[in-house]
Amino acid sequence: MESVQVDAVTSAAGRAYDADPGALLSFDLSRPGRTGVSLPPLDVPEAPLPEALRRDDLTLPEMSQLDVVRYFTRLSQRNWAVDTHFYPLGSCTMKYNPKVNDALAALPGFADLHPEQDDAMVQGALELMWTLQQWLAEITGMAAVSLAPAAGAHGELTSILLVRAYLDWYEGLAPGEQPPKARRVLVPDSAHGTNPATAAMAGFAVESIPSDAEGNMDLRALEASLKDDTKGRVAAAMVTLPSTLGLFDRNITRIADLLHEHGALLYGDGANMNAMLGQVKPGDLGFDLLHLNLHKTFSTPHGGGGPGAGPICVKEALVPFLPTPHVRRVGDRFERYRPERSVGRIGSFQGNFGVLVRAYAYIRSLGADGLREVSETAVLNANYVQARLAGAYRLPYERRCMHEVVFSGSRQRAKGVRTLDIAKRLIDYGFHPPTVYFPLIVDEALMVEPTETESLETLDAFCDAMLAIAREAEESPELLREAPVRAPLRRLDEATAARKPDLRWRPRGGGES
């Protein structure tokens, strides 16, 4: 991007930044020789960096410490966050998380631990992990839990690796020996996009199962796939419950029975557990294993790539295959150990410990009744939004939703308005756009998850904005196509930005850094 000529002093540059926050970069505030810290004279002999480690081609901004703080603070104030705005991203559960849990995770007894300390020195941390394992097992109806996976997709991959290891052992294969027949993993067409990618990474062939007219998995297609062994045996199905359509599959127990009748396992993508806390246990529905997203359901703020945790919960037959290290209790002591047929280590140390502390605090503070209220309120809020907006936006599935509701912007397309236009216009009303164009099987999808932490007033304000935008789509569609018009930056050419990213700063003079 072109650098903006700024001739004023730094304070004036700050005022210019406030007037046009999209115009200035840190380089524009740079002044030759200005630094952020003054160091005392050396009291030891000078030892320059070796020539091989020095670079003279880096053009870095020269700024005072105060200028740096103000620059990044201003940038942070332009960010959208759950702490500042309603964040209705469907399938992400971007809810408010209690700050007290952050404080507990920062206590010196937790924050100052080193993951390589001996078990005898970290009994408190191991007890917390062991207790959290027991609680998550109880919540999900499973026999055991591993806290090792560091993210949801990591939990998916670990789970499918367990499926492969279990089948290898069950079929008596030696380590590294290939199965006699190819293996398939069935994935509903409403699944998270990571599901088929995960199965492929683990060495399985992936087959998509369509949804029926009500948004459930098509049982006839599932049965046909299970009976067709010409493509290889079915190892497992990966089912998100509730689905990314925001719906509870009414056939889930029948799906589990069919899979088990054919020697296949049922894996659950637990990213949407916020809808089921205290209501039903996946293990009781027939799931053999599933992952949870502690950073969605159990109180860790997320977004921007982390932090996360994706524990996997398994039935008894899969316990010996859990990754190492696993925490167990021996008498009144706690220790890390390697399960008998473990798939091995899947990451560094014991996972993201700070996330585990937050989840422990969240569950302990709410208790069983509080967790049940979380899901009840999340589902109630989503159905409230559905009821208010159903007349303005098309509902692809006219039935009660769970924690999120999926609309379609196809009704507005007659006026030349797309879902993307609706999302961009929401920015002008002060709301972060919801998820758009997902799930892929919904035309012009617009996916809203209000969560349990938003007030009625916030939900009404959001719905009022959505209804106003629906009216604008009828009366002034060109306004939506130009949106946002009140944001610091106007609409970007997203396709070109994705295909031809320009990530370099070009200083004055035409050179490149």
Side-chain angles (χ1 to χ4, degrees):
M1 64 183 68
E2 291 299 324
S3 176
V4 176
Q5 182 70 36
V6 178
D7 296 322
V9 295
T10 302
S11 59
R15 291 195 296 272
Y17 186 97
D18 290 331
D20 187 3
L24 295 180
L25 303 175
S26 59
F27 295 96
D28 297 312
L29 303 177
S30 176
R31 294 294 181 273
R34 186 166 290 167
T35 63
V37 63
S38 298
L39 299 176
L42 287 175
D43 58 359
V44 295
E46 184 175 351
L49 283 174
E51 191 64 31
L53 298 179
R54 300 181 63 181
R55 292 182 61 182
D56 297 323
D57 60 331
L58 292 177
T59 305
L60 299 176
E62 299 175 72
M63 302 169 64
S64 72
Q65 188 173 140
L66 178 58
D67 290 339
V68 170
V69 170
R70 285 178 176 169
Y71 174 74
F72 284 104
T73 299
R74 287 188 178 104
L75 287 180
S76 72
Q77 290 168 342
R78 294 171 57 202
N79 284 345
W80 290 82
V82 172
D83 289 355
T84 61
H85 300 84
F86 178 35
Y87 220 116
L89 284 180
S91 205
C92 274
T93 314
M94 297 289 286
K95 64 184 181 181
Y96 171 78
N97 296 281
K99 295 297 178 283
V100 65
N101 297 345
D102 293 337
L104 292 172
L107 289 173
F110 294 134
D112 295 343
L113 295 179
H114 192 284
E116 294 283 20
Q117 287 180 254
D118 292 336
D119 288 353
M121 300 176 66
V122 290
Q123 284 294 294
L126 294 180
E127 181 178 2
L128 181 147
M129 295 175 69
W130 180 84
T131 304
L132 181 59
Q133 289 173 183
Q134 310 314 304
W135 288 349
L136 295 179
E138 174 64 24
I139 289 169
T140 58
M142 296 293 183
V145 174
S146 169
L147 303 174
H154 198 200
E156 285 182 27
L157 179 60
T158 306
S159 297
I160 297 304
L161 291 177
L162 257 70
V163 170
R164 189 176 71 182
Y166 171 78
L167 292 177
D168 287 349
W169 169 80
Y170 185 80
E171 296 174 4
L173 300 181
E177 184 180 353
Q178 294 298 312
K181 298 179 68 175
R183 294 171 178 164
R184 291 177 288 150
V185 168
L186 309 181
V187 180
D189 61 2
S190 63
H192 285 115
T194 50
N195 289 177
T198 292
M201 287 176 62
F204 292 97
V206 180
E207 183 175 336
S208 179
I209 303 297
S211 300
D212 62 21
E214 292 188 347
N216 302 310
M217 187 190 295
D218 190 313
L219 286 181
R220 287 182 297 180
L222 173 63
E223 290 183 87
S225 184
L226 287 169
K227 292 176 181 177
D228 182 7
D229 60 0
T230 61
K231 303 175 185 176
R233 67 162 295 180
V234 174
M238 303 178 74
V239 176
T240 304
L241 193 75
S243 72
T244 60
L245 297 170
L247 304 175
F248 189 90
D249 196 312
R250 294 164 173 162
N251 301 320
I252 189 61
T253 55
R254 178 58 180 154
I255 291 169
D257 291 342
L258 285 171
L259 288 165
H260 295 155
E261 288 169 10
H262 288 81
L265 300 177
L266 177 57
Y267 157 83
D269 181 327
N272 294 340
M273 192 67 188
N274 213 53
M276 298 196 298
L277 290 175
Q279 308 298 327
V280 64
K281 299 179 180 182
D284 295 344
L285 298 174
F287 284 90
D288 299 291
L289 70 170
L290 80 154
H291 90 270
L292 297 172
N293 284 4
L294 297 189
H295 52 287
K296 292 187 179 183
T297 308
F298 295 98
S299 184
T300 290
H302 74 290
I312 59 171
C313 316
V314 302
K315 290 287 183 64
E316 191 65 44
L318 295 167
V319 173
F321 301 91
L322 288 174
T324 187
H326 191 57
V327 180
R328 66 182 175 186
R329 182 172 186 170
V330 181
D332 60 353
R333 307 292 291 173
F334 301 89
E335 65 180 22
R336 289 166 281 195
Y337 81 106
R338 181 187 181 95
E340 180 184 359
R341 290 182 284 275
S342 174
V343 295
R345 182 179 285 276
I346 59 167
S348 301
F349 310 121
Q350 290 75 238
N352 284 334
F353 181 68
V355 178
L356 307 182
V357 175
R358 291 175 174 89
Y360 174 93
Y362 183 75
I363 296 172
R364 181 153 191 162
S365 63
L366 289 177
D369 292 340
L371 292 177
R372 188 177 302 111
E373 187 175 353
V374 163
S375 59
E376 290 171 351
T377 307
V379 172
L380 177 64
N381 284 353
N383 280 276
Y384 180 76
V385 171
Q386 181 191 66
R388 284 212 58 192
L389 300 183
Y393 299 91
R394 187 175 71 84
L395 271 175
Y397 302 97
E398 296 190 11
R399 49 180 285 203
R400 181 176 299 170
C401 65
M402 295 296 289
H403 64 304
E404 61 195 1
V405 54
V406 179
F407 297 101
S408 169
S410 58
R411 182 177 297 170
Q412 284 70 30
R413 191 164 50 193
K415 293 289 186 176
V417 172
R418 305 291 302 273
T419 290
L420 181 64
D421 302 322
I422 297 169
K424 296 297 186 183
R425 183 59 174 156
L426 263 174
I427 298 174
D428 287 330
Y429 282 87
F431 292 100
H432 191 285
T435 300
V436 296
Y437 299 117
F438 183 79
L440 300 177
I441 61 173
V442 174
D443 183 34
E444 295 289 328
L446 202 156
M447 189 183 198
V448 180
E449 182 176 358
T451 81
E452 77 281 2
T453 59
E454 299 296 340
S455 68
L456 177 62
E457 291 78 11
T458 298
L459 298 184
D460 277 336
F462 172 77
C463 290
D464 289 344
M466 289 291 292
L467 293 172
I469 292 171
R471 290 192 297 271
E472 291 174 344
E474 290 292 321
E475 301 166 2
S476 306
E478 68 283 350
L479 182 61
L480 274 66
R481 291 192 290 268
E482 295 174 359
V485 296
R486 302 193 193 111
L489 296 177
R490 300 296 296 272
R491 189 182 303 201
L492 304 176
D493 183 345
E494 297 178 347
T496 301
R499 293 170 182 157
K500 299 178 181 179
D502 185 359
L503 305 180
R504 295 170 298 178
W505 174 73
R506 294 182 177 86
R508 305 177 190 89
E512 292 186 357
S513 62

